[in-house]
Amino acid sequence: MPVSVGARGGTVETDPDTGRAISGAGSLPAGLAVALDGFTRHLRAERGLSPHSVRAYHGDVAGLLEHARRMGHDTVATLDLRVLRSWLAAQSTRGRARTTLARRAAAARTFTAWAVRDGLLASDCGALLSSPRSRPALPAVLDRAEAAALLDVATVATDDAEPESIRDLAVLEVLYASGIRVGELCGLDLDDIDDGRRVLRVMGKGSKERTVPIGLPAVRALDRWLAEGRPRLARPGSGPAAFLGSRGGRLDPRTARRAVHRLLSHVPGAPDLGPHGLRHSAATHLLEGGADLRSVQELLGHATLATTQIYTHVSVDRLKATYDQAHPRA
């Protein structure tokens, strides 16, 4: 990420997509700003995190260091548990959600562990920092009928033969068929698609590669996009990107999100979901269809089984609802 000199002598890190300063870095003293920059480089180069994850960590730690500055600290060496707890307490009084507090506590622990390894901090005060246990909210999902209706809407939209409409159908089919993240979909290259085996090679979080199967409807939608839509949008600089935007560059995740919201708005009664909602729906429908939890974990690219288990709660809730409606002694 590009950096420039801030007004107080520290550095300002800018978002490479927007060119805007990332909040927090510009107001830091040089000692804290240099540490923040080093931590950000560590996340990007050594841990291989996605740009989105790097920005999230950077923003959280920048907030922590700004709080430390207001408490009179101008170097990482003087950080202690009192500063960390004070920062989280201030977030709590502002009404931040438990999930947000848990994430920020995790970011603080990651930062202090790195600072100790890098010799900036004598002892790891973050290791003693506890955080509120988050209560994961059950994700909103489409039911099977709503998912089918959404794909029907997207199919009808291709009657205009516009390349964007053909692309959007392929985007929805692939997202629902595979459960991959929208960033993973937009990162697909042409040679990541194996039509014969009906699989995609996906680069996930932490630069971890996995192979994901897709069904025949998704293959057909992809084939049509690659044969009829992509050639009409491709430009000399398009490169190997599988999905393209209207100007020929790699498809932006925001464009994919807008397409999902727009097409889903034509499905009566369906919740307003984005691409991640299709991921949730795919996982839920797999489990409802009898897939085992470990296979769904591998498909989604979850690091731990605990992350995948939230979908079992969704499936059980639906099972209970069906039972209540159908059983004569419910």
Side-chain angles (χ1 to χ4, degrees):
M1 294 183 183
V3 295
S4 59
V5 178
R8 294 173 179 258
T11 58
V12 179
E13 186 149 15
T14 56
D15 188 315
D17 297 326
T18 65
R20 287 181 243 170
I22 298 176
S23 174
S27 62
L28 297 176
L32 297 180
V34 168
L36 179 59
D37 290 342
F39 176 63
T40 306
R41 286 193 299 271
H42 158 74
L43 295 174
R44 190 170 54 244
E46 297 177 33
R47 294 188 57 180
L49 298 185
S50 69
H52 175 79
S53 295
V54 171
R55 282 194 292 271
Y57 270 108
H58 179 100
D60 288 342
V61 174
L64 166 62
L65 296 182
E66 173 60 24
H67 184 83
R69 180 194 68 79
R70 289 196 296 268
M71 292 182 68
H73 298 264
D74 58 8
T75 175
V76 173
T78 59
L79 287 184
D80 55 24
L81 186 58
R82 183 176 62 90
V83 175
L84 303 185
R85 285 175 172 168
S86 171
W87 175 59
L88 283 183
Q91 303 293 312
S92 181
T93 58
R94 294 189 190 116
R96 299 290 184 250
R98 292 164 65 94
T99 50
T100 300
L101 295 176
R103 189 200 74 211
R104 291 181 176 172
R109 286 190 292 268
T110 303
F111 173 72
T112 57
W114 167 82
V116 169
R117 288 195 301 271
D118 220 49
L120 301 179
L121 196 57
S123 62
D124 189 359
C125 54
L128 302 174
L129 181 67
S130 60
S131 57
R133 183 180 295 273
S134 61
R135 300 190 186 99
L138 296 182
V141 295
L142 302 177
D143 62 31
R144 291 170 183 265
E146 290 167 341
L150 170 63
L151 296 171
D152 286 345
V153 167
T155 300
V156 170
T158 64
D159 289 346
D160 63 10
E162 291 297 325
E164 289 87 354
S165 300
I166 298 171
R167 177 202 65 205
D168 291 346
L169 172 61
V171 164
L172 264 64
E173 285 281 10
V174 170
L175 286 173
Y176 178 59
S178 64
I180 63 176
R181 303 173 179 93
V182 66
E184 294 170 342
L185 175 131
C186 293
L188 289 174
D189 289 336
L190 292 171
D191 62 2
D192 292 326
I193 302 170
D194 187 337
D195 262 10
R197 295 170 58 214
R198 287 192 289 153
V199 296
L200 305 174
R201 184 175 61 215
V202 176
M203 189 63 69
K205 288 185 175 181
S207 299
K208 294 178 181 176
E209 185 180 296
R210 69 187 190 278
T211 300
V212 179
I214 54 175
L216 283 172
V219 170
R220 286 194 290 266
L222 266 175
D223 285 347
R224 184 182 178 189
W225 155 246
L226 295 176
E228 301 177 26
R230 189 182 186 280
R232 293 162 61 189
L233 295 182
R235 303 290 183 270
S238 294
F243 288 99
L244 302 178
S246 297
R247 298 182 179 181
R250 187 178 293 275
L251 181 65
D252 190 296
R254 290 170 295 187
T255 302
R257 288 190 188 96
R258 284 194 293 269
V260 174
H261 285 292
R262 174 173 48 80
L263 292 166
L264 194 52
S265 70
H266 296 289
V267 178
D272 182 22
L273 305 178
H276 218 66
L278 294 183
R279 176 174 164 85
H280 293 322
S281 301
T284 302
H285 297 167
L286 280 166
L287 288 169
E288 289 176 346
D292 66 275
L293 199 59
R294 185 70 69 179
S295 297
V296 175
Q297 176 196 3
E298 186 174 343
L299 184 77
L300 298 179
H302 285 158
T304 66
L305 197 61
T307 309
T308 316
Q309 283 177 326
I310 189 172
Y311 298 110
T312 65
H313 300 309
V314 178
S315 298
V316 169
D317 283 351
R318 289 196 174 190
L319 178 61
K320 288 178 179 176
T322 301
Y323 178 88
D324 288 343
Q325 283 184 343
H327 198 286
R329 296 182 70 84

